[in-house]
């Protein structure tokens, strides 16, 4: 099986990007003790996390020399666009899921969505790659689940367009990263000496890197890793709403055609996703610490509990692109009865914030969580409909009467059959 250069390194899918803030020791390990933030992490798991951070540092160094400035994420480095969205809780959401931001049926939140390519390198959109959808819901009330991230009132849902990862847990991931740090792309998956064959993981990796898409708006995205909502372990997904259809209207020969396509679609039209959850119903078939396993929908179908609506809007522009680049996503941004599960998610908590701090520090920009749809540095006055393409009707509404119409009282009528507004609106 042939893997593209650096490909498996970038497919950490933002699990362990760039660097820890400590200095590396001679063995490539951070010299400072790992801060577990009060989580119950074994010595073996902590060592695996430190090993992965050291390996990621070396991979990141190589990637940065090719991507150039500004300092980017070391996975999902290329954003195909950030869009404004509305995240609405379904009125019929089952009671077992009414926790955290889902506690109030019919409540609606503003959100940002970052669509991206998975690679650590900025590559043309036509290259096969993992595709990401990260949703940041704003105005969320409740106690944060990770105090070190502050009280920003946001909850993030990070997804890719494949339902499973190619490493089972943090231990597999750390071993794999040691090979990748030496640019050995296949050594962890298959080896003659020492004899080794990770067949399932190799299949998952191939599935992950082979995606070609025409628009980010038409894909289904998956959490890959499990979470707990209330008392229910589950995975989540975002799937295009029934009946969604998006025509290809731009040339796919350009390096950024996914951005152009999304901008063209949303210039006049809208998009929609159902937010779904898949509760764990069989512990053996739906493990919490083996990310290579696809939970069978035959045992537990996905259930829609919310809807994501993306209104017509402006997608491009310097201020919006800068905002999209600076935006930070973290699966531990959440409130109330919400908890990321498994060793990979625990490792994410330890690394994600350090990654974001490093990137923002290198780019000399502040690390800020958004609270609305307004953009830093945008000269446009901030409004509740910021950035949306809102159509307002002409008032009073233009009227057009039959030329032979005569009111009973004989008064003239205000007929606007020749009014350009009337004709333009197709009345």
């Amino acid at each position: 099986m042939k893997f593209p250069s650096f490909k498996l390194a970038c497919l950490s899918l933002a699990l362990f990007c760039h660097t820890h803030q400590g200095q590396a020791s001679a063995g490539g390990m951070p010299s400072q003790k790992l801060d577990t933030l009060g989580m119950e992490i074994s010595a073996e798991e902590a060592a695996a996390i430190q090993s992965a951070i050291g390996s990621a540092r070396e991979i990141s160094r190589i990637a940065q020399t090719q991507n150039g400035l500004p300092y980017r994420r070391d996975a999902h480095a290329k954003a195909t666009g950030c869009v404004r969205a509305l995240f609405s809780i379904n009125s019929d959401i089952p009671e077992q899921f009414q926790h955290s931001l889902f506690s109030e049926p019919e409540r609606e939140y503003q959100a940002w969505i970052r669509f991206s390519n998975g690679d650590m390198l900025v590559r043309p959109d036509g290259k096969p790659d993992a595709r990401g959808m990260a949703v940041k819901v704003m105005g969320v009330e409740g106690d944060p689940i990770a105090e070190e991230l502050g009280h920003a009132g946001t909850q993030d849902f990070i997804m890719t367009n494949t339902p499973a990862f190619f490493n089972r847990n943090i231990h597999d991931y750390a071993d794999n990263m040691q090979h990748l740090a030496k640019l050995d792309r296949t050594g962890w998956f298959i080896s003659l000496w020492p004899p080794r064959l990770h067949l399932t993981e190799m299949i998952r990796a191939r599935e992950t890197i082979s995606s070609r898409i025409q628009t980010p708006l038409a894909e289904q995205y998956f959490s890959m890793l499990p979470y707990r909502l209330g008392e229910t372990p589950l995975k989540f997904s975002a799937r295009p709403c029934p009946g969604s259809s998006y025509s290809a209207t731009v040339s796919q020969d350009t390096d950024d055609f996914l951005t152009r396509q999304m901008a063209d679609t949303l210039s006049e039209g809208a998009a929609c996703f159902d937010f779904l959850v898949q509760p764990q119903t069989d512990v053996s078939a739906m493990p919490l610490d083996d990310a290579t396993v696809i939970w069978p929908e035959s045992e537990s179908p996905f259930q829609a509990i919310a809807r994501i609506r993306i209104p017509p809007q402006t997608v491009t522009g310097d201020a919006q692109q800068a905002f999209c680049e600076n935006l930070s996503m973290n699966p531990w941004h959440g409130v109330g009865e919400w908890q990321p599960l498994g060793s990979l998610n625990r490792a994410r908590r330890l690394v994600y914030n350090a990654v974001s701090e490093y990137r923002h520090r290198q780019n000399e920009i502040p690390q800020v969580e958004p609270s609305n749809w307004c953009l830093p540095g945008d000269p446009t006055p901030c409004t509740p409909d910021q950035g949306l393409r809102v159509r307002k009707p002409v008032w009073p509404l233009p009227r057009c009467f039959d030329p032979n119409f005569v009111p009973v009282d004989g008064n003239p009528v205000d007929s606007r059959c020749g009014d350009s507004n009337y004709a333009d609106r197709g009345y």
Side-chain angles (χ1 to χ4, degrees), residues 64-387:
Q64 192 61 50
T65 62
Q66 298 197 36
N67 285 335
L69 296 177
Y71 282 78
R72 298 175 181 266
R73 295 162 173 81
D74 298 277
H76 292 269
K78 182 179 181 179
T80 53
C82 281
V83 301
R84 298 167 174 89
L86 292 166
F87 193 97
S88 304
I89 312 306
N90 289 357
S91 61
D92 60 351
I93 178 173
E95 187 174 352
Q96 76 175 108
F97 304 129
Q98 292 183 27
H99 303 280
S100 187
L101 71 83
F102 302 100
S103 62
E104 297 182 43
E106 299 186 353
R107 181 163 180 178
E108 186 171 76
Y109 302 86
Q110 286 188 339
W112 280 99
I113 301 176
R114 183 180 188 266
F115 292 102
S116 61
N117 295 340
D119 207 295
M120 61 186 275
L121 301 178
V122 176
R123 293 151 46 93
D125 289 347
K127 294 287 187 180
D129 201 357
R131 314 293 171 169
M133 177 184 183
V135 182
K136 183 178 292 293
V137 183
M138 299 176 291
V140 180
E141 300 171 356
D143 295 329
I145 62 173
E147 286 284 344
E148 74 277 5
L149 299 180
H151 293 247
T154 57
Q155 185 142 341
D156 296 354
F157 300 103
I158 299 175
M159 297 169 278
T160 65
N161 65 336
T162 52
F165 193 42
F166 51 80
N167 293 140
R168 295 175 302 163
N169 50 41
I170 182 56
H171 303 289
D172 283 4
Y173 185 87
D175 290 346
N176 188 18
M177 290 290 281
Q178 289 182 0
H179 288 272
L180 296 172
K182 302 173 185 177
L183 302 185
D184 176 7
R185 303 187 301 275
T186 61
W188 182 79
F189 294 92
I190 185 171
S191 172
L192 294 177
W193 191 260
R196 179 170 49 249
L197 176 61
H198 292 131
L199 182 59
T200 298
E201 292 83 349
M202 192 161 56
I203 293 172
R204 293 285 181 256
R206 186 60 185 174
E207 291 170 346
T208 302
I209 67 174
S210 62
S211 173
R212 294 179 185 268
I213 66 174
Q214 293 186 338
T215 174
L217 302 175
E219 290 292 291
Q220 181 171 359
Y221 301 88
F222 303 86
S223 67
M224 295 194 301
L225 303 181
Y227 296 75
R228 178 179 288 112
L229 178 59
E231 298 297 325
T232 306
L234 52 76
K235 291 184 178 182
F236 57 83
S237 175
R239 182 173 61 200
C241 296
S244 297
S245 178
Y246 307 103
S247 301
T249 56
V250 303
S251 171
Q252 297 187 9
D253 295 332
T254 59
D255 290 349
D256 61 347
F257 80 85
L258 291 177
T259 302
R260 297 187 182 192
Q261 181 60 71
M262 189 161 60
D264 192 65
T265 299
L266 296 178
S267 64
E268 298 293 337
C272 174
F273 290 87
D274 279 328
F275 185 87
L276 317 163
V277 293
Q278 183 186 29
Q280 183 195 50
T281 57
D282 185 328
V283 175
S284 60
M286 304 176 182
L288 298 181
D289 205 31
D290 186 346
T292 65
V293 176
I294 300 175
W295 288 10
E297 292 188 51
S298 59
E299 297 289 334
S300 178
F302 278 101
Q303 305 175 43
I305 63 171
R307 176 155 287 190
I308 303 169
R309 294 184 292 115
I310 305 174
Q313 60 189 276
T314 301
V315 173
T316 56
D318 292 343
Q320 188 150 338
Q321 290 175 348
F323 169 83
C324 196
E325 183 61 37
N326 298 335
L327 188 64
S328 295
M329 295 289 185
N330 192 311
W332 288 82
H333 272 141
V335 302
E337 296 178 88
W338 176 259
Q339 181 186 359
L341 300 176
S343 61
L344 287 172
N345 261 332
R346 288 192 294 273
R348 281 171 142 184
R349 179 178 181 181
L350 297 176
V351 176
Y352 265 48
N353 198 37
V355 172
S356 179
E357 288 178 351
Y358 175 85
R359 176 167 55 91
H360 285 78
R361 183 171 64 250
Q362 293 300 107
N363 290 328
E364 298 182 345
I365 54 175
Q367 185 180 4
V368 179
E369 282 288 285
S371 59
N372 53 41
W373 285 339
C374 300
L375 300 172
D378 189 343
T380 307
C382 187
T383 68
D385 294 330
Q386 187 76 11

